[in-house]
Amino acid sequence: MRTHGIKVWSLRLLVGPLVLLVLAALAVWLYLRASLARLDGDVQAPGLSAPVTVARDQHGVPLISGERRADVAYATGFVHAQERFFQMDLLRRVGAGELAELFGARALPRDRANRLHRFRARVAASLKLLNPADRLLLDRYVAGVNAGLHSLGANPFEYALLGVKPRPWSADDSLLVVCAMYFDLQGTVEPRELTRGWLREHSDAAQLAFLLPDASKWDAPLDAAGVDFTPAPIPPTPPAWWGRARKNDAQKIASADFIDSVGSNNWAVAGSRSNDGAAIVSDDMHLGLSLPNTWYRMAIQYPDAKGAPRRIVGVTLPGAPPVIIAGSNGRVAWGYTNSYADLLDLVMLGQDAQRPGQVRTPAGWEKPAAVVETILVKGAPAERMTVHETSLGPVRETDGKPYAIHWLAHAPASLNLNPIRLETADTLDEALAIAATIGIPSQNFVGGDDKGNIGWTISGALPRRSQGGSGATFPLLVDGGQASFDGALAPSDYPRVVNPPGGQLSTANARQLNGVGAQILGDGGFDIGARNRQIRDALAALGPKTDVAGVYGVALDDRALFVASWRARAIKALDAPALQGKPQRAQFLDLLNKGWSGRASVESSGYRLARHFMWALGDVLFDGVNGDLAELHPKSTMALATSRWPEVLARLLDEQPAAWLPPGHASWQSVQLAAIDRVIADLAADGVPLEKATWGERNTAAIAHPIAAAAPLLARWLSAPADMLPGDANMPRVSGKNFGQSQRLTVSPGKEEQGVFNMPGGQSGHPLSPYFMDGHAEWVAGTPTPLLPGAARHTLTFK
């Protein structure tokens, strides 16, 4: 009996923990299930003028239908909150500098950097500028967000993992989401100017003109075949910092891992070249990729001011004011790319010991106002931060020098709800006029209408330069006789290009214009231009007539036209003497030849090695200065100072000036061989044999939910598959580990049934939702799927 009892208790001891584990797992599962979005049934919604329906198709894409636009906004807020509230919360906290309240002290550096701009205080001024109809629309969206959040059976799962409760939504928060996009899209402008300022201080004028060229042979502006410019001559001597080794190897970041984080392509083909006479508009915005995706797909329909039914389809940004960001309204279609106009000036401030507490701006002496910001920190005392505000903007100190940050994003008018006007624009001309009034980060707006017209302008505020120039791409010197911009340019003065002779338009973050318009926009960090040139030429190659499928296909173009010349240089450097006694160099050469597909394809080792060679050459020449620049700002590099650095290196290799050879090298072939040897060494350090160094092995997706790192046990369910991705920077199919085409949309207005779309991830941010990853495989493969929602599988009715 005693033995039997021991066995029973032993069994209980074994089974008991297992039962507890099962019960715990069941509790977690039930909690997660409780926080899923509601898809069917009736919802009581005070304040509606008539019922609103949310009809989701098999992919979770909703069609929201109502009798009044404000009612549709309410339902949009409800759906956004139920599917994406944590994403919305992160965005508003990025905009306000309030992440530490969720994540603790580790988020303080980012909060301090963002809180400097005091956007939570600034959006209050923007709200006061909204007209009553826009304010009503925003308030109804906010009411829908809070109703959607409270209607969940449990708080979104992320808050249980973080041990906090979600905070209700407000109208301020929706504008803060747009402020987060200002940081995302224009956050490199300030460190770029700091970087260029350092280079100005450590180079003479001739060296600076050569190292930081104003244009590139790759530029393909909208108003010319290329840019008229004469490259500056190579000066007799380089700067003192040229070719120097890095002081601290521990700071080094492998440049080969760098992915250009410039974002977005859009293009349009006129009706004169489309098979059915309507314009075709295509857009793929490039952003950091995570789960859920930045965008939420939907279609909405409601009667316009004349009572006519309108249907708009495209993408929304959860948390932002409830408008279709990019899409088609049946008569006009539109999309965006980041403009990289010059929208921010860093102004060096003068100081004098005889004037304590004062600074000198170009306009004279003034005393900055001291404003105390309180940053709440999870698990720690709140931090108080003093921001000093001048008439030009807040003060930041870098390298012992004070600068005022004069940024158009700080102006109250830089945030508004004018994007909603595009939903009912009937013609391209109307859309272009609206675009110039929109309060968003300055974008290239490309649109087309059902009559076949196409056009480009800038959407978002542009600075009014008092001297008529393009502004400073370096910090402004208080004694330099330069003035910062004076407010915003009038929309009537915005440049436009309409119905160009070739029947096509394209932008891809590069220089847009060649003439006077280029002076209006300035250069806030344009891309080198190779991507836009490849798009332009690919569109022309579609011939006199094309269709949606042909225009969409340009987004998947991964031809390695830009990297091809670097492959040729590496092959030339690897001559017979260079290979003697160097078997790995011989293998490198063999892979450049046999492993070259002419594309950034996943199986191509030749592409990876050629691309890595270009970046390694930059390391050989820029390593030391990049180390110095890193002390100035974490983002500071020569690549940030100018996207045209490969052209600078190409000129050196072509002209081979002996004076510019870095220390330890007797020839430019020696420099190139050193770069090749560095590639070989970097791959060996990563444990990657040369024969297995394919582009796919390097360019493998690492797309995950932001909370995955904090919940390793759930990481598998919070991450996308580790797919090998074709494409790269400097080609239309931009693709990196967690950066790339955040959506692909191609449509003819009025023919939305033929429109196509795909995006990474799915509609929902919840891992138990069937819509968490729905459509992701199609994005990886580039498979076009219908733009419009399909037949309703679930219907939610608001009464």
Side-chain angles (χ1 to χ4, degrees):
M1 288 291 294
R2 185 176 179 183
T3 302
H4 176 72
I6 291 173
K7 289 181 177 178
V8 169
W9 279 106
S10 297
L11 185 62
R12 288 175 179 174
L13 289 172
L14 289 172
V15 173
L18 181 62
V19 171
L20 291 176
L21 185 63
V22 171
L23 290 175
L26 180 62
V28 170
W29 185 82
L30 289 173
Y31 181 90
L32 290 173
R33 290 285 302 172
S35 60
L36 280 168
R38 184 175 178 181
L39 304 180
D40 293 290
D42 295 341
V43 178
Q44 295 301 314
L48 292 186
S49 62
V52 178
T53 60
V54 179
R56 286 180 172 89
D57 70 4
Q58 62 178 333
H59 304 295
V61 181
L63 170 62
I64 302 180
S65 305
E67 293 301 315
R68 194 174 62 152
R69 184 63 180 88
D71 294 343
V72 172
Y74 179 93
T76 302
F78 189 98
V79 169
H80 278 172
Q82 293 223 318
E83 300 275 25
R84 301 284 193 90
F85 188 82
F86 185 70
Q87 174 194 13
M88 296 162 58
D89 194 3
L90 289 185
L91 286 171
R92 68 173 167 182
R93 290 177 182 276
V94 168
E98 297 171 352
L99 288 168
E101 191 176 358
L102 281 184
F103 300 109
R106 61 182 171 174
L108 276 172
R110 187 168 187 183
D111 276 357
R112 293 187 192 110
N114 290 4
R115 189 65 70 91
L116 179 67
H117 299 275
R118 302 183 57 245
F119 274 129
R120 185 167 284 285
R122 297 183 195 280
V123 299
S126 299
L127 285 173
K128 292 178 182 178
L129 297 179
L130 298 183
N131 64 47
D134 287 351
R135 183 57 198 256
L136 171 64
L137 189 81
L138 185 56
D139 287 343
R140 292 306 293 157
Y141 176 74
V142 170
V145 169
N146 289 321
L149 177 63
H150 295 150
S151 295
L152 291 171
N155 287 330
F157 75 94
E158 296 94 343
Y159 296 96
L161 293 173
L162 292 170
V164 297
K165 292 183 178 180
R167 189 174 68 201
W169 202 255
S170 70
D172 302 63
D173 293 331
S174 285
L175 296 191
L176 284 168
V177 169
V178 184
C179 293
M181 298 307 291
Y182 270 101
F183 283 129
D184 194 11
L185 297 171
Q186 298 176 8
T188 60
V189 179
E190 183 185 341
R192 177 178 183 266
E193 291 211 358
L194 285 171
T195 304
R196 292 169 70 89
W198 188 97
L199 292 169
R200 179 176 62 187
E201 292 175 7
H202 294 83
S203 313
D204 65 33
Q207 293 162 351
L208 207 63
F210 167 64
L211 292 167
L212 303 179
D214 291 332
S216 157
K217 71 176 184 181
W218 295 96
D219 283 321
L222 294 165
D223 57 352
V227 173
D228 297 329
F229 84 107
T230 301
I234 300 176
T237 58
W241 51 260
W242 178 258
R244 207 176 54 211
R246 188 180 292 247
K247 299 174 186 174
N248 183 0
D249 286 340
Q251 294 177 330
K252 184 176 178 180
I253 299 172
S255 293
D257 284 338
F258 183 88
I259 291 288
D260 287 331
S261 55
V262 293
S264 311
N265 306 316
N266 63 357
W267 52 87
V269 172
S272 60
R273 287 184 55 198
S274 73
N275 288 339
D276 51 25
I280 305 173
V281 175
S282 195
D283 186 49
D284 58 271
M285 295 179 277
H286 308 157
L287 294 166
L289 304 180
S290 64
L291 297 177
N293 184 33
T294 300
W295 311 112
Y296 185 86
R297 297 178 61 184
M298 69 167 53
I300 59 176
Q301 58 185 21
Y302 58 90
D304 63 18
K306 299 177 182 178
R310 299 302 291 257
R311 180 185 65 189
I312 307 96
V313 60
V315 295
T316 60
L317 176 60
V323 300
I324 300 295
I325 303 293
S328 180
N329 69 13
R331 295 174 190 172
V332 178
W334 67 94
Y336 296 103
T337 71
N338 202 11
S339 71
Y340 286 90
D342 184 13
L343 309 164
L344 179 151
D345 286 344
L346 277 184
V347 183
M348 294 182 68
L349 299 172
Q351 293 178 302
D352 189 332
Q354 302 301 314
R355 293 176 176 266
Q358 296 187 55
V359 295
R360 184 157 61 94
T361 73
W365 289 94
E366 63 178 79
K367 184 177 182 179
V371 183
V372 177
E373 292 282 320
T374 301
I375 304 177
L376 301 179
V377 185
K378 179 185 173 185
E383 179 174 298
R384 290 165 64 86
M385 171 184 170
T386 301
V387 178
H388 294 94
E389 287 272 6
T390 71
S391 58
L392 292 174
V395 178
R396 76 163 293 151
E397 189 168 300
T398 299
D399 200 23
K401 302 168 187 172
Y403 299 87
I405 306 170
H406 195 198
W407 190 13
L408 268 176
H410 294 152
S414 291
L415 297 167
N416 61 40
L417 266 67
N418 286 355
I420 198 170
R421 317 280 183 257
L422 291 172
E423 294 181 3
T424 52
D426 288 329
T427 67
L428 174 69
D429 282 344
E430 286 181 39
L432 292 173
I434 293 165
T437 71
I438 290 176
I440 58 172
S442 173
Q443 301 288 294
N444 289 303
F445 176 95
V446 166
D449 63 22
D450 56 351
K451 302 297 189 296
N453 301 298
I454 59 173
W456 164 89
T457 191
I458 293 292
S459 189
L462 289 173
R464 182 176 63 236
R465 300 285 178 184
S466 58
Q467 295 175 326
S470 62
T473 59
F474 299 92
L476 294 172
L477 302 174
V478 71
D479 294 320
Q482 296 174 297
S484 191
F485 61 85
D486 179 21
L489 189 71
S492 58
D493 292 332
Y494 277 40
R496 285 187 185 185
V497 175
V498 178
N499 291 331
Q504 65 179 60
L505 288 164
S506 66
T507 73
N509 318 117
R511 182 180 300 277
Q512 304 95 333
L513 299 172
N514 193 39
V516 176
Q519 296 299 310
I520 294 174
L521 300 180
D523 181 354
F526 288 141
D527 187 36
I528 193 171
R531 180 159 42 97
N532 189 43
R533 178 173 287 269
Q534 191 162 332
I535 291 168
R536 183 198 67 181
D537 295 347
L539 288 172
L542 293 175
K545 293 290 181 180
T546 188
D547 56 13
V548 165
V551 173
Y552 168 81
V554 174
L556 306 180
D557 182 2
D558 60 4
R559 289 174 298 150
L561 304 185
F562 179 76
V563 169
S565 65
W566 292 98
R567 169 179 172 264
R569 288 188 173 91
I571 290 173
K572 184 178 180 181
L574 290 167
D575 59 15
L579 300 181
Q580 191 170 2
K582 300 286 186 178
Q584 287 187 306
R585 287 184 183 175
Q587 187 181 11
F588 194 101
L589 176 61
D590 187 57
L591 291 170
L592 284 175
N593 287 312
K594 295 180 180 177
W596 178 256
S597 65
R599 298 179 175 274
S601 51
V602 297
E603 76 284 351
S604 176
S605 54
Y607 178 81
R608 180 176 181 179
L609 297 182
R611 176 193 188 275
H612 198 154
F613 164 69
M614 181 187 76
W615 280 99
L617 189 61
D619 280 343
V620 171
L621 298 172
F622 299 143
D623 202 23
V625 70
N626 282 342
D628 292 341
L629 292 172
E631 297 175 7
L632 186 72
H633 192 283
K635 295 181 180 178
S636 289
T637 64
M638 278 296 295
L640 181 65
T642 175
S643 65
R644 305 172 188 110
W645 65 267
E647 290 300 286
V648 172
L649 301 192
R651 287 193 60 199
L652 290 171
L653 297 181
D654 292 343
E655 299 185 35
Q656 301 198 356
W660 282 72
L661 282 169
H665 293 279
S667 70
W668 284 100
Q669 184 187 26
S670 169
V671 175
Q672 293 175 83
L673 293 175
I676 290 168
D677 291 341
R678 182 174 291 216
V679 174
I680 294 169
D682 286 348
L683 291 171
D686 291 338
V688 182
L690 276 177
E691 66 274 10
K692 294 187 178 179
T694 63
W695 179 238
E697 192 277 337
R698 158 64 183 80
N699 207 43
T700 298
I703 304 170
H705 191 290
I707 211 74
L713 294 178
L714 299 177
R716 175 185 171 187
W717 291 276
L718 294 173
S719 303
D723 295 300
M724 292 185 177
L725 302 174
D728 191 16
N730 297 314
M731 61 184 62
R733 190 170 188 165
V734 169
S735 178
K737 294 181 179 181
N738 51 17
F739 180 87
Q741 295 175 323
S742 64
Q743 46 74 237
R744 304 185 188 109
L745 179 157
T746 305
V747 62
S748 283
K751 303 180 186 300
E752 287 76 15
E753 289 76 8
Q754 301 171 15
V756 296
F757 184 92
N758 55 43
M759 72 180 191
Q763 289 286 92
S764 175
H766 198 301
L768 291 187
S769 169
Y771 310 130
F772 182 59
M773 291 297 294
D774 192 295
H776 181 78
E778 287 76 11
W779 173 81
V780 171
T783 305
T785 57
L787 171 62
L788 284 175
R793 295 290 183 90
H794 300 278
T795 302
L796 195 64
T797 303
F798 295 87
K799 295 184 176 179

